[in-house]
Amino acid sequence: MAAETAFPRLFEPYERGRLQLANRLVVLPHGTSMVSEGGITEDDIAYYEARARSGPALIITGASIVADSSAVRTRKLVEPYNEAVLEGLRQRVDVIHAHGVKVVGQIIHLGRETIGSEFETAPLAPSFLRSPRDPYGPQVLDEAGIAEIIEAFGVSAANLERTGHDGVEIHGAHGYLVAQFLSPATNRRSDRWGGSLDHRLRFLRAVIDSIRRHCSDAFWLGLRLSASEEIADGLEVPDTAAIAKAVAADGGVDYLSITMGTRGLYVKDATAPPATAARAAGIIREACGLPVIVGQRINTPQVAEAVLAAGQADFVGMARAFIADPDWATHAAQGRPERIRPCLGLNQDCRSFSPHLHCAANPRAGRERTVEFAHPVRAAKARRIAVIGGGPAGLEAARGAALRGHAVAVFESSDGLGGQFLYAASLPHRSELRRLIDYLQAELRCLEVTVHLGRRIDEAADLGAPFDAAVVAVGAAANALDEEWRAPHVASWFELLEQGAPPPRGAARALVVDDGSAFWWTYGVAEALVQAGWRVRVATPSAAIAAAIPTESVGPLLARLGRGGTEYSVLTALDAVTADGAALVNVASGEAVDWPCELVVVQTGRASRGELLPRLRAGGIEAHAIGDCVAPRRVSHALLEGQRVALRL
């Protein structure tokens, strides 16, 4: 078959010991937050079935807590120790197994990490060290507490076996409780549970023994480890290799899942290199001899095949790639990687859980049971549809309408497709955004959608042919600078996007003035200036820096800006432009300060282009507006509205 030629290693079966898997593809654990009262919902089951349908070898479900001492107030984490939730877990396993896919349940105790939620009890940890992500310190575990949690791991594992899971995975990575015992950064104990590596390993070994006591010999046991915790005094690759070697010698573990980072650092965004953890995984695999799964920034079959070919892992795992396209495995198996809807590494909707998992690139993720998305069907009658605007919203609408059997034509006023999304992709470290436009263009070619470039549409007559309906997706326009701010040394953020960062002059001081939106449009421009050699200060009326940028992206962004010497003024707005710079004002105190600089860049925001919709309707054509021309927002809104209008035409 095509897959055997295109990606032979990716679809090669695997058999060793207890592990028998149809191929080398693993859906890595990730929470859906489609949980109620500690139990999974029908939405969660539908989500996993959509991913199982395409045929990965194994799905490792999102982390389930092993005890109520790790429960959050919302009870949005699965509780496998709770008898009331087990039937739902069994139903999910049965649905996944029906597609020939194995299921492993990951189990966890959060320890001192509250994951941004409220606990009903004090968080627990091996040592009294406050997590840098939380405002208060934990309760130190005593012998009785340690024994209770060790037993809880075994009980939860046994319950997963009772519900039909093929195995269980201990979450020993990312700075949660098992990792807190393993790491010298978080374990400062001087008793038998701390100190030397052998002592710090004792808790993990006891958890493994507990699971083996409670479960049958046929039940798989995996272990997830951070190769490098990426924190001061934390575990590094040689430490984790030693842990893996010791665990392998003990003989209780069937496989390792290797990752990088701790909470807030481990969900690598588009700025991280492909296959971020693969080299480390290869070192650990060689050290211990256990089968190894590796993930993080593996989102194309080509990258996955290369990791396997290099001998860095036995399996490749993905979470966000399967969120973005549940049919990832099908497209790869058919040798059609260009049909895979790409994960863009934005970490926006998949990490905000509002109220549960969604995806910026795939509007159907988390909406598998929403009627209009669950069963899209061909239109009862084919219509001629004009899509006006070739940005993400318009291209998604054109794709969806063509899939339903409509005859679709796209009209774009410029000489290329992509719209302002291409400006976003031109920002430093954001070039991967182009993959979405490449994918949508390829889809339109496959669906034989007609594309007219350089065709501006101002009224119905400009379409040049009769259409049954039009979809307006002409986007938004950057607001102009206020007249009071115009000066030779002042530019708008959009002028820098169009023209690029100017070369530094004078003392090379640049002031970037945010409007409070605190998103990539501002901070990407700031980074472009840093790369061009400017010394940048960002002024924002917000009380926080980059508040609208996803948590896992803020750290790498601020690190890059910090290496360039960027400084910040919060609660600060532009008051006036002066001859030698700008006058700033503290929005809380009213205090004013002059800031000398050679360049001022102002975030002016965007305004929707709403004039075309009423003109088309006045010309007698059915017309719908989507995306930024309705209101300037994010790509997730554009794609959602594009799909939604296509399903309604």
Side-chain angles (χ1 to χ4, degrees):
M1 52 189 289
E4 294 173 347
T5 302
F7 309 111
R9 296 170 183 84
L10 198 54
F11 291 94
E12 181 182 22
Y14 184 91
E15 184 172 347
R16 174 179 166 180
R18 282 179 281 254
L19 300 182
Q20 296 184 19
L21 293 165
N23 56 57
R24 307 305 180 92
L25 269 172
V26 178
V27 178
L28 290 178
H30 56 285
T32 68
S33 201
M34 291 182 253
V35 175
S36 176
E37 298 297 310
I40 62 172
T41 63
E42 291 185 16
D43 289 333
D44 180 90
I45 294 171
Y47 171 85
Y48 275 104
E49 182 176 20
R51 274 88 200 145
R53 194 178 290 121
S54 72
L58 171 64
I59 290 178
I60 307 174
T61 57
S64 301
I65 56 173
V66 298
D68 58 10
S69 60
S70 195
V72 296
R73 185 178 294 170
T74 62
R75 298 189 65 195
K76 295 283 276 184
L77 298 175
V78 180
E79 303 168 0
Y81 56 89
N82 181 350
E83 288 284 335
V85 313
L86 299 187
E87 180 56 33
L89 293 177
R90 186 189 307 278
Q91 291 175 13
R92 183 172 68 184
V93 168
D94 289 346
V95 163
I96 295 172
H97 278 167
H99 296 282
V101 179
K102 302 292 187 180
V103 189
V104 164
Q106 188 186 75
I107 52 177
I108 189 174
H109 194 292
L110 299 173
R112 70 176 189 172
E113 297 290 341
T114 64
I115 62 170
S117 300
E118 285 292 334
F119 277 27
E120 292 289 81
T121 58
L124 303 173
S127 302
F128 187 74
L129 293 168
R130 182 182 62 83
S131 167
R133 291 158 290 278
D134 293 309
Y136 39 76
Q139 177 185 355
V140 178
L141 281 161
D142 58 16
E143 287 283 345
I146 290 172
E148 185 177 328
I149 292 173
I150 290 168
E151 176 69 8
F153 269 97
V155 170
S156 287
N159 284 345
L160 291 178
E161 185 172 24
R162 284 171 54 198
T163 53
H165 290 74
D166 299 285
V168 68
E169 178 180 283
I170 300 167
H171 198 333
H174 302 161
Y176 300 113
L177 185 62
V178 172
Q180 289 163 29
F181 272 96
L182 290 172
S183 176
T186 47
N187 186 344
R188 304 290 175 81
R189 300 176 76 106
S190 57
D191 61 2
R192 68 193 187 109
W193 302 101
S196 68
L197 176 60
D198 192 56
H199 282 198
R200 286 184 278 114
L201 264 164
R202 181 166 281 142
F203 181 78
L204 171 59
R205 281 173 158 153
V207 167
I208 292 170
D209 289 345
S210 176
I211 293 171
R212 282 295 175 213
R213 286 197 314 272
H214 283 82
C215 300
S216 72
D217 289 341
F219 199 53
W220 304 352
L221 176 54
L223 171 63
R224 196 171 210 197
L225 294 171
S226 292
S228 169
E229 292 190 293
E230 302 178 330
I231 58 173
D233 301 321
L235 295 170
E236 298 294 346
V237 174
D239 306 308
T240 303
I243 292 168
K245 189 174 181 180
V247 167
D250 293 343
V253 169
D254 294 295
Y255 72 84
L256 298 178
S257 178
I258 299 301
T259 179
M260 303 279 278
T262 51
R263 180 179 153 224
L265 298 172
Y266 71 89
V267 185
K268 305 299 184 185
D269 72 358
T271 66
T276 303
R279 181 175 177 275
I283 293 170
I284 293 167
R285 179 175 182 260
E286 184 175 354
C288 71
L290 286 171
V292 166
I293 302 169
V294 68
Q296 290 184 314
R297 298 284 293 138
I298 299 174
N299 52 22
T300 69
Q302 294 90 336
V303 172
E305 184 77 6
V307 168
L308 295 172
Q312 294 170 318
D314 301 277
F315 306 93
V316 287
M318 306 165 212
R320 289 171 295 172
F322 275 99
I323 299 172
D325 194 338
D327 297 321
W328 196 102
T330 299
H331 295 312
Q334 293 173 346
R336 300 190 301 173
E338 72 282 355
R339 300 302 301 271
I340 294 173
R341 183 180 287 267
C343 167
L344 305 178
L346 296 179
N347 293 349
Q348 284 177 195
D349 297 61
C350 62
R351 299 295 295 162
S352 63
F353 300 112
S354 177
H356 52 68
L357 178 144
H358 287 297
C359 176
N362 174 19
R364 295 189 182 188
R367 296 185 175 94
E368 285 77 13
R369 294 180 68 245
T370 302
V371 173
E372 64 181 334
F373 290 111
H375 302 291
V377 296
R378 290 184 71 84
K381 178 183 178 182
R383 307 173 75 195
R384 287 177 51 83
I385 308 296
V387 176
I388 304 166
L395 298 181
E396 188 65 62
R399 173 186 176 274
L403 280 171
R404 298 191 63 229
H406 296 306
V408 182
V410 175
F411 296 84
E412 166 57 41
S413 61
S414 72
D415 59 359
L417 298 175
Q420 289 186 359
F421 200 64
L422 295 183
Y423 286 114
S426 72
L427 293 168
H429 303 287
R430 305 281 285 171
S431 61
E432 191 154 341
L433 298 181
R434 294 179 183 271
R435 293 182 60 220
L436 176 65
I437 303 304
D438 292 342
Y439 160 77
L440 290 170
Q441 288 189 89
E443 288 289 286
L444 297 196
R445 286 193 293 270
C446 288
L447 295 167
E448 298 182 348
V449 172
T450 303
V451 176
H452 301 283
L453 298 177
R455 286 284 300 276
R456 181 180 176 86
I457 306 300
D458 290 315
E459 55 188 26
D462 294 335
L463 293 171
F467 285 91
D468 300 304
V471 177
V472 179
V474 293
N479 294 320
L481 276 169
D482 289 348
E483 285 298 324
E484 61 181 311
W485 291 343
R486 291 191 178 277
H489 63 293
V490 180
S492 76
W493 63 285
F494 198 73
E495 288 171 334
L496 258 71
L497 287 178
E498 287 187 305
Q499 302 167 18
R505 54 184 182 268
R509 296 166 299 190
L511 175 68
V512 175
V513 181
D514 186 35
D515 60 354
S517 55
F519 198 53
W520 285 108
W521 289 123
T522 297
Y523 288 89
V525 165
E527 189 170 6
L529 289 168
V530 168
Q531 286 193 350
W534 290 88
R535 294 167 49 209
V536 174
R537 174 172 289 272
V538 177
T540 176
S542 299
I545 302 299
I549 292 176
T551 300
E552 287 92 354
S553 294
V554 168
L557 168 69
L558 296 185
R560 296 191 303 272
L561 291 174
R563 286 191 290 270
T566 302
E567 298 177 326
Y568 305 92
S569 296
V570 298
L571 297 173
T572 300
L574 179 63
D575 188 42
V577 171
T578 63
D580 62 350
L584 302 176
V585 61
N586 186 293
V587 297
S589 67
E591 179 183 4
V593 61
D594 286 335
W595 193 263
C597 58
E598 286 70 38
L599 177 65
V600 177
V601 180
V602 181
Q603 171 58 255
T604 61
R606 296 180 296 157
S608 59
R609 294 168 167 153
E611 64 277 0
L612 181 56
L613 183 68
R615 291 178 188 168
L616 291 175
R617 289 174 174 170
I621 188 169
E622 174 191 330
H624 310 265
I626 60 173
D628 284 354
C629 72
V630 176
R633 290 156 295 159
R634 299 183 182 176
V635 66
S636 53
H637 304 109
L639 296 179
L640 172 61
E641 291 173 9
Q643 282 204 13
R644 183 167 282 157
V645 75
L647 291 167
R648 294 174 178 176
L649 288 170

